């Protein structure tokens, strides 16, 4: 019988332990598939964040470095400069990248480091139990904004992709989502583009991935996908913001 | 009237803070503290307190915000753990150097790497030299009581220093215990109105906090900080006396447990002291004169008083839930310094236990007390510093 489907080599045979309906396992999967298809598994090194995806190294079947909270872009810079032949990516959430690590991401981008950065935006701090993140949208209830986020006291949703797209050193920025099969395939293409750009030495590539967090949003997985489409995407529109897709 | 409740350590501290109702609170989550500030955010949302919360993007910013608010003349709080405290390190020195009485519960947790979220004392021990007052707590009740007393201590006009109140991550922060709350009004009266000292925005007397001071007076400035620390012990004891009148609960610089006639003793911080006390009772029943010293005030450290309490013992084990790699455990170093000046000193050993949340069991205390008993009878010390309960 012909084998039509198998686990990507870049994923270990470890069951995902993320919450039901969480987007992390989907994103892990598309990164693993992209790494396999580009045949870069033996030269890819990933950097795990602090956040829910702190366990990324339990799932990816290649070398991973665990950085301090928010510091993956700085660690990635060093890895890439020391080993320019390797393919380096960081995998960061909105707590890691858009809050505590804002400085590192902006300066890695501004230096135009030849890196691939995958940024998971689920509009809250997932691992610590659903506190307000800089990406939390207006009126969104979190455990630290129980009455809903109010711009007067806690600011506005931070559009990291648009912010980074203004930086000269950045070659590619795309915002994608994992709410549907169609969008998941687009996300995979964006991830692949980010890797290809690095292979071709085109510089800093950034993919923001809108991802559901049913547990902390207090929704069923299905309802979370609906909320992502109806509430999150209007604030964070999908599409290429800078650069071109690789064919 | 005291209210008996069943709450976690985090909830107890959050309620102590609610009862004080400070002006400003820096909020940034980190396990296992998260739940404390999250509860505080609910108090704000529900109108239980009038505190201005600042949801910042990192602990470095949280402490920076606290410094700004305190310099502006506010009563200021935040809370953190582990990497959060480590990230604050730079700002901790500025808070104490600027003499700003910020109150911060620290829910003790191990430090990376490897990454670990469970309880040990590495975080607060790393902040030992930051110029903050450190008060350590065995259980939820002590965490609550110490948090309330911390305001009186740090804000005392002779002191004006920031205070961290330490409690064990998960073991205390997340376990539910029976404890007593004071009435809101009692706490308010106990801590009193916040008194400003040289707040900013005084156009009559403009001033700067933390300016550049080089070789001319920096040395003298630090000498003054040392001088202030020498006054803390008396204030801690005075505040404890007042607190006892209010609550009936007695606090000192440390707790002496069955130490008066003890031949052997453990020196141990926080929750593990509770476990150890039960084992000491068992040894006492068997006729072994065992005792325990549980430090409460760790910075400034009460050297003379600790030496006085331990001077008649024959053998002492200092138990550290943190290590100074290449040195001895941090608590051990304090106790050896304290005892050095005695003419006759007990034999001292150091055990490192419970790192990264490894359980501290009664059997560990038994092991150590048996070893101390042998040493007290004239046995030799085999290893001065040793890790307890290591998996082979």
């Amino acid at each position: 019988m012909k084998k039509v489907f198998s686990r990507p080599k870049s994923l270990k045979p470890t069951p995902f332990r993320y919450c039901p309906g969480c987007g992390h396992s989907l994103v892990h999967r598309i990164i693993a598939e992209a790494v396999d298809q580009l045949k870069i598994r033996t030269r890819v090194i990933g950097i795990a964040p602090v956040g829910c995806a702190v366990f990324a190294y339990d799932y990816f079947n290649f070398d991973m470095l665990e950085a301090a909270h928010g510091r993956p872009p700085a660690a990635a810079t060093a890895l890439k400069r020391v080993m320019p032949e390797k393919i380096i990516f960081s995998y960061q959430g909105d707590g890691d990248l858009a809050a505590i690590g804002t400085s590192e991401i902006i300066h890695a981008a501004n230096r135009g480091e030849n890196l691939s950065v995958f940024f998971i935006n689920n509009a809250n701090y997932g691992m610590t139990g659903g506190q307000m993140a800089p990406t939390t949208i207006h009126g969104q209830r979190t455990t630290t904004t129980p009455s809903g986020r109010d711009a007067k006291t806690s600011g506005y949703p931070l559009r990291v992709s648009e912010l980074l797209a203004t930086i000269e050193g950045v070659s590619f920025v795309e915002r994608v989502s994992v709410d549907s099969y169609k969008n998941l395939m687009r996300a995979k293409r964006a991830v692949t583009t980010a890797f290809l750009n690095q292979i071709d030495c085109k510089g800093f590539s950034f993919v923001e991935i809108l991802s559901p967090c049913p547990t902390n949003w207090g929704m069923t997985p299905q309802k979370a996908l609906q909320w992502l489409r109806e509430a999150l995407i209007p604030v964070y529109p999908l599409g290429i913001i800078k650069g071109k897709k690789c064919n | 009237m005291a209210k008996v409740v069943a709450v976690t350590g985090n909830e107890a501290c959050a309620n102590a803070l609610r009862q004080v109702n400070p002006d400003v609170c820096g909020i940034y989550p980190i396990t296992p503290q998260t739940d404390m500030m999250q509860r505080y955010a609910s108090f704000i949302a529900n109108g239980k307190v009038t505190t201005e919360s600042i949801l910042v993007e990192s602990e470095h910013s949280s402490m920076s915000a606290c410094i700004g608010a305190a310099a502006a003349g506010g009563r200021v709080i935040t809370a953190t753990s582990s990497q959060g405290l480590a990230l604050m390190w730079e700002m901790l020195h500025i808070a104490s150097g600027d003499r700003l009485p910020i109150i911060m519960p620290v829910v003790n947790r191990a430090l990376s790497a490897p990454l670990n979220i469970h309880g040990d004392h590495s975080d607060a021990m790393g902040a030992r030299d930051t110029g903050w007052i450190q008060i350590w707590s065995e259980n939820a009740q002590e965490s609550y009581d110490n948090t309330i007393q911390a305001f009186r201590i740090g804000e005392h006009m002779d002191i004006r220093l920031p205070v961290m109140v330490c409690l064990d991550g998960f073991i205390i922060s997340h376990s539910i215990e029976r404890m007593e709350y004071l009435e809101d009004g009692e706490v308010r009266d106990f801590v009193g109105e916040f008194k400003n000292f040289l707040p900013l925005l005084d156009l009559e007397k403009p001033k700067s906090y933390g300016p550049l001071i080089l070789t001319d007076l920096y040395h003298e400035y630090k000498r003054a900080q040392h001088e202030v620390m020498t006054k803390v012990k008396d204030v801690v004891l005075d505040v404890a006396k007042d607190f006892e009148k209010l609550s009936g609960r007695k606090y000192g610089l440390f707790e002496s447990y069955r130490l008066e006639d003890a031949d052997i003793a453990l020196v141990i911080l926080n929750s593990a002291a509770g476990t150890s006390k039960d084992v000491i009772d068992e040894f006492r029943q068997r006729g072994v004169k065992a005792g325990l010293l549980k430090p409460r005030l760790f910075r400034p450290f009460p050297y003379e008083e600790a030496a006085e309490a331990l001077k008649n013992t024959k053998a002492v084990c200092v138990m550290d839930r943190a290590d100074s790699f290449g040195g001895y455990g941090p608590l051990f170093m304090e106790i050896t310094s304290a005892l050095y000046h005695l003419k006759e000193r007990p034999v001292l050993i150091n055990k490192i236990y419970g790192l990264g949340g490894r359980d501290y069991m009664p059997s560990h205390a038994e092991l150590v007390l048996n070893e101390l008993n042998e040493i007290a009878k004239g046995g030799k010390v085999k290893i001065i510093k040793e890790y307890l309960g290591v998996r082979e």
Side-chain angles (χ1 to χ4, degrees):
Chain A
M1 194 185 286
K2 194 184 164 201
K3 194 169 183 181
V4 293
F5 184 82
S6 62
R7 178 190 298 279
K9 273 192 181 152
S10 294
L11 278 184
K12 290 177 193 164
T14 308
F16 286 118
R17 288 163 299 182
Y18 294 112
C19 300
C22 168
H24 274 305
S25 35
L26 293 170
V27 182
H28 284 17
R29 170 112 201 167
I30 58 174
I31 291 174
E33 286 180 359
V35 168
D36 278 11
Q37 282 160 19
L38 296 170
K39 298 188 171 54
I40 53 172
R41 195 175 76 84
T42 53
R43 56 185 187 121
V44 78
I45 299 173
I47 303 185
V50 168
C52 294
V54 71
F55 296 117
Y57 40 72
D58 284 353
Y59 307 119
F60 286 126
N61 192 18
F62 40 70
D63 278 356
M64 298 285 292
L65 172 77
E66 173 61 47
H69 202 13
R71 316 305 157 202
T77 299
L79 281 175
K80 186 68 186 178
R81 289 193 180 199
V82 172
M83 299 181 286
E85 73 286 2
K86 302 290 181 200
I87 304 300
I88 312 292
F89 76 89
S90 79
Y91 186 109
Q92 303 176 254
D94 40 12
D96 199 80
L97 185 141
I100 203 165
T102 340
S103 163
E104 274 75 2
I105 190 65
I106 285 179
H107 293 289
N110 195 41
R111 291 189 303 266
E113 299 293 343
N114 190 26
L115 300 169
S116 312
V117 176
F118 304 124
F119 166 51
I120 313 298
N121 176 359
N122 61 10
N124 78 117
Y125 296 151
M127 190 192 63
T128 44
Q131 292 76 26
M132 190 200 85
T135 48
T136 297
I137 62 171
H138 288 297
Q140 187 184 338
R141 287 173 192 268
T142 70
T143 54
T144 46
T145 54
S147 315
R149 185 177 191 178
D150 180 355
K152 274 188 282 187
T153 53
S154 44
Y156 299 83
L158 188 65
R159 293 183 183 88
V160 180
S161 287
E162 284 81 350
L163 186 74
L164 293 180
T166 65
I167 296 175
E168 284 178 56
V170 173
S171 70
F172 176 74
V173 180
E174 182 171 359
R175 187 183 286 117
V176 296
S177 163
V178 293
D179 66 294
S180 65
Y181 179 74
K182 194 174 80 177
N183 278 340
L184 195 61
M185 288 303 100
R186 282 187 181 148
K188 190 176 159 186
R189 274 201 297 280
V191 166
T192 306
T193 300
F195 279 132
L196 281 170
N197 282 351
Q198 188 178 161
I199 293 165
D200 297 342
C201 293
K202 285 187 183 165
F204 192 88
S205 296
F206 186 83
V207 182
E208 173 173 348
I209 302 153
L210 301 184
S211 172
C213 181
T215 301
N216 288 311
W217 293 352
M219 297 173 191
T220 61
Q222 206 174 3
K223 183 96 177 115
L225 291 175
Q226 192 188 337
W227 188 80
L228 190 154
R229 281 179 213 121
E230 291 171 4
L232 220 50
I233 291 178
V235 181
Y236 299 111
L238 305 182
I240 294 177
I241 299 163
K242 187 173 189 181
K244 280 187 210 149
K245 181 169 62 179
C246 293
N247 294 317
Chain B
M1 269 296 289
K3 187 178 166 196
V4 176
V5 291
V7 295
T8 64
N10 273 344
E11 190 174 350
C13 283
N15 269 290
L17 298 171
R18 175 186 60 75
Q19 292 177 314
V20 174
N21 188 11
D23 299 310
V24 178
C25 174
I27 297 184
Y28 187 79
I30 184 163
T31 309
Q33 169 281 124
T34 306
D35 159 61
M36 189 193 302
M37 283 295 103
Q38 194 170 291
R39 284 173 192 278
Y40 202 79
S42 301
F43 295 146
I44 296 170
N46 294 335
K48 306 265 186 204
V49 288
T50 52
T51 309
E52 184 75 33
S53 67
I54 311 178
L55 305 184
V56 286
E57 74 283 5
S58 75
E59 290 89 354
H60 192 273
S61 304
S62 180
M63 187 46 66
S64 302
C66 288
I67 287 168
R75 181 178 257 165
V76 181
I77 57 163
T78 185
T80 195
S81 293
S82 179
Q83 302 304 118
L85 187 65
L87 189 59
M88 279 180 188
W89 195 80
E90 177 185 21
M91 309 316 295
L92 294 177
H93 286 265
I94 295 175
S96 63
D98 283 345
R99 306 279 304 276
L100 302 170
I102 297 160
I103 306 303
M104 175 166 69
V106 173
V107 184
N108 299 122
R109 166 187 145 182
L111 289 172
S112 281
L115 185 56
N116 182 302
I117 57 167
H118 289 284
D120 80 25
H121 302 156
S122 311
D123 52 2
M125 287 301 170
R128 181 191 68 178
D129 302 336
T130 56
W132 283 56
I133 295 168
Q134 282 193 351
I135 304 175
W136 293 68
S137 325
E138 181 183 323
N139 48 36
Q141 183 75 66
E142 289 193 10
S143 307
Y144 170 85
D145 293 349
N146 284 338
T147 301
I148 293 167
Q149 291 175 71
F151 285 90
R152 281 274 300 271
I153 297 163
E155 292 172 8
H156 192 284
M157 278 301 174
D158 293 342
I159 308 295
R160 304 305 283 194
L161 281 175
V163 187
M164 35 183 109
V165 176
C166 301
L167 57 145
D168 284 350
F170 288 107
I171 300 163
I172 299 305
S173 67
H174 285 61
S175 304
I176 294 175
E177 286 176 51
R178 177 210 176 275
M179 59 161 285
E180 291 176 14
Y181 283 153
L182 297 165
E183 292 291 335
D184 293 358
E186 289 176 327
V187 174
R188 258 199 312 277
D189 292 345
F190 179 80
V191 296
E193 282 287 311
F194 181 73
K195 290 190 193 73
N196 265 323
F197 183 68
L198 303 176
L200 287 173
L201 302 179
D202 181 351
L203 295 178
E204 299 295 313
K205 286 182 189 170
K207 66 191 78 61
S208 299
Y209 273 82
L212 183 74
I213 301 180
L214 299 177
T215 46
D216 49 355
L217 283 170
Y218 182 87
H219 194 63
E220 286 66 28
Y221 195 96
K222 292 294 145 182
R223 169 67 169 73
Q225 261 180 271
H226 158 75
E227 195 67 32
V228 175
M229 274 290 193
T230 63
K231 297 179 184 171
V232 172
K233 277 192 299 193
D234 288 343
V235 173
V236 168
L237 291 174
D238 285 349
V239 171
K241 255 184 225 158
D242 286 354
F243 192 80
E244 189 185 352
K245 279 181 220 151
L246 175 67
S247 67
R249 291 186 290 278
K250 195 175 172 63
Y251 287 94
L253 303 173
F254 47 79
E255 181 188 345
S256 288
Y257 187 76
R258 308 189 82 161
L259 210 50
E260 302 74 32
D261 61 340
D263 290 329
I264 59 173
L266 302 179
V267 179
I268 191 161
L269 283 164
N270 279 17
S271 64
T275 312
S276 305
K277 283 184 234 172
D278 284 346
V279 180
I280 279 169
D281 289 347
E282 283 170 27
F283 273 69
R284 283 275 174 177
Q285 276 170 11
R286 280 193 253 150
V288 180
K289 289 182 177 173
L292 175 144
L293 186 144
K294 181 188 75 182
R296 174 174 179 248
L297 184 67
F298 188 78
R299 272 295 174 272
F301 196 84
Y303 295 100
E304 296 84 6
E305 294 82 352
E308 184 64 27
L310 292 168
K311 70 176 183 189
N312 294 324
T313 56
K314 292 177 182 151
V316 172
C317 179
V318 184
M319 312 279 285
D320 271 289
R321 203 166 204 153
D323 197 358
S324 173
F325 304 102
Y328 293 106
L331 184 55
F332 181 82
M333 293 194 267
E334 301 303 339
I335 298 296
T336 44
S337 298
L339 298 185
Y340 180 78
H341 301 285
L342 294 176
K343 276 189 186 140
E344 284 184 38
R345 296 181 287 268
V347 177
L348 278 174
I349 56 170
N350 184 200
K351 302 283 185 201
I352 311 291
Y353 74 98
L355 298 187
R358 171 64 57 81
D359 279 336
Y360 173 72
M361 306 301 283
S363 58
H364 293 133
E366 279 171 31
L367 211 65
V368 175
L369 288 168
N370 282 330
E371 187 180 336
L372 286 176
N373 213 11
E374 290 303 311
I375 294 170
K377 285 178 189 159
K380 280 198 174 147
V381 174
K382 289 179 200 122
I383 304 171
I384 298 176
K385 174 191 170 186
E386 194 179 21
Y387 272 60
L388 198 60
V390 177
R391 283 162 63 181
E392 300 292 345

